[in-house]
Amino acid sequence: MKEKLKAFGLPIGITLIFIAALFIHQLLIVKELPQQGWSRSMPFEESFKEKPQVFVDAEDKIHIASDGHVQTIKINDKLEISEETTSKTKITRGFPFWTDGKQYIYYKSGNLVSASGGQEQILEEDIAGLGTGKNDVYYWKDSTLSRYDLENNEAIKIQSFPNTIAGMFVADDGSAVVQVEKDNTHDVLYYVDEKQQVSGAFLTVASSPNKKMEGLTFKIKDGNLLVFYNQKARTQGTLSYNVFKLQAPVGEIGNSMLEGEKVEFDLSDTGQKLMSPGGVQLMEMKGEEMILITSEGTKIGDNNTVSLYAAPLEDGTVFSAAPVSTTKHVSYPPLKISDEAMIWMNYDGADYALKGSSRNPEVISESTNWSKSSVKEAINNGILMMFSSLVTIMTSFYWVLPSLFLLILMYIFKPNAFENDGISWVEYLSIIIFIFMPVSYTQNAMNAYFEQMAPGYLLFPGSAYAVTIFLSLITLAIWKFGRDPDWGSMGGAFYFMGTYILFYITFIGPYIFNLY
């Protein structure tokens, strides 16, 4: 009994220590900030059954239309709700709306409608769509674009385009980009400045069912019109998302047709390319210009997760992005509520919930406190990582083959080598051969994902060699102390190799593969 306890108790005990270190590391990770200076995702009580439409007015009040009513809230930099009211106004789904908290202007049954105090008034009949900014309401009929003057309560015609208007994107200063149909598979874009002066067409974008533009953001920067837009494509049933960039002097917009450049986003910590970027937004906070995008999550347990990332706005077509959201669900493009905070909708597969992130030091500190959900997330991540580590058993099986081949040959051609008292030289040699096998495997395994997920004590120059030496020394000590003398050379060698692999899959194995 004592011999079995030594032989199996010690490896199991050390394995449990390695597993405990994994879970402790995961508990620490769920307290980490997504990036320095930003809080973790903070929840609000508001949740909705249907996807809400959100509008931020000139006073930075947030109006959320869903489930047959409009909820108005005011959030400060500490992500605290200071004001909250509810209106029974029902906004038509799929169309934007405008409000100042008292009057609501929206699309209803083909008309432009104003509602105030429970009373509705038709402002314009037979419209096809509308676009709204903080202080502006645009609408169109077929190919004619108009603006509704909120101060004088009158419609002002802007311009008629060659073909039907397909959509528009309005900035806070009243400038806009108008999307006009060109043919069955393409649209063209026009720029409308803050004085409602319209440029010529400057960009052609895809508009077919299998490839089309979805979302656009723009701003004037150093005398140039800077545009980022999303493109969604379907090829053989597979969806792909890309972001394109266009930049040209404002005075030259409309003089000729331009082309957008495809841009890429790399994770700032590891250089890993972000997949399926979309939801692009240009945002300025405290004088810092940023690009906000949504993209697939990159961490353990992020399967089907769409996270929020921020990248500094720089020249070029490759941007270094860092995460903002820390939820495991689908994050939608954010809205700025102040120079220190932003909010977005989060979809967990059943409900839409309001989330936020802030640069406020108090919020940052509060967001790092453990909660039931964060502890549960850490435990789930640890379990998933342990299951992922089982792949190491299959991919590292070849480590045993050279030693096994040696043992078989010696057993066939020189069986007397196994009959010596004590540990034979054959056992020593097979162990030495085995020790060298994991070195190259470990070097290749320490990839970008490993660097992102592994704890600090596994990340240093030469760590691949250090890990194999460390595990070899521990295993040698266990083998020397726990090996049963009655096992023979064959049993002793396999005891060493099995113990080593057990330590390997629990010590660094969880950080190598991401199956989830």
Side-chain angles (χ1 to χ4, degrees), residues 7-55:
F8 299 106
L10 284 174
I12 292 173
I14 294 176
T15 299
L16 292 176
I17 292 174
F18 290 158
I19 294 174
L22 166 67
F23 281 97
I24 291 172
H25 181 237
Q26 292 307 303
L27 283 170
L28 295 175
I29 283 179
V30 297
K31 293 184 67 176
E32 289 181 354
L33 302 176
Q35 60 172 297
Q36 195 62 35
W38 281 97
S39 73
R40 294 179 62 84
S41 299
M42 298 293 287
F44 295 90
E45 294 182 359
E46 284 70 17
S47 64
F48 310 89
K49 291 297 181 182
E50 64 179 38
K51 184 180 178 181
Q53 295 155 263
V54 184
F55 177 78

Side-chain angles (χ1 to χ4, degrees), residues 436-451:
F436 285 98
M437 294 302 294
V439 176
S440 62
Y441 179 97
T442 305
Q443 288 177 323
N444 294 328
M446 291 183 173
N447 50 27
Y449 176 76
F450 182 89
E451 292 178 0

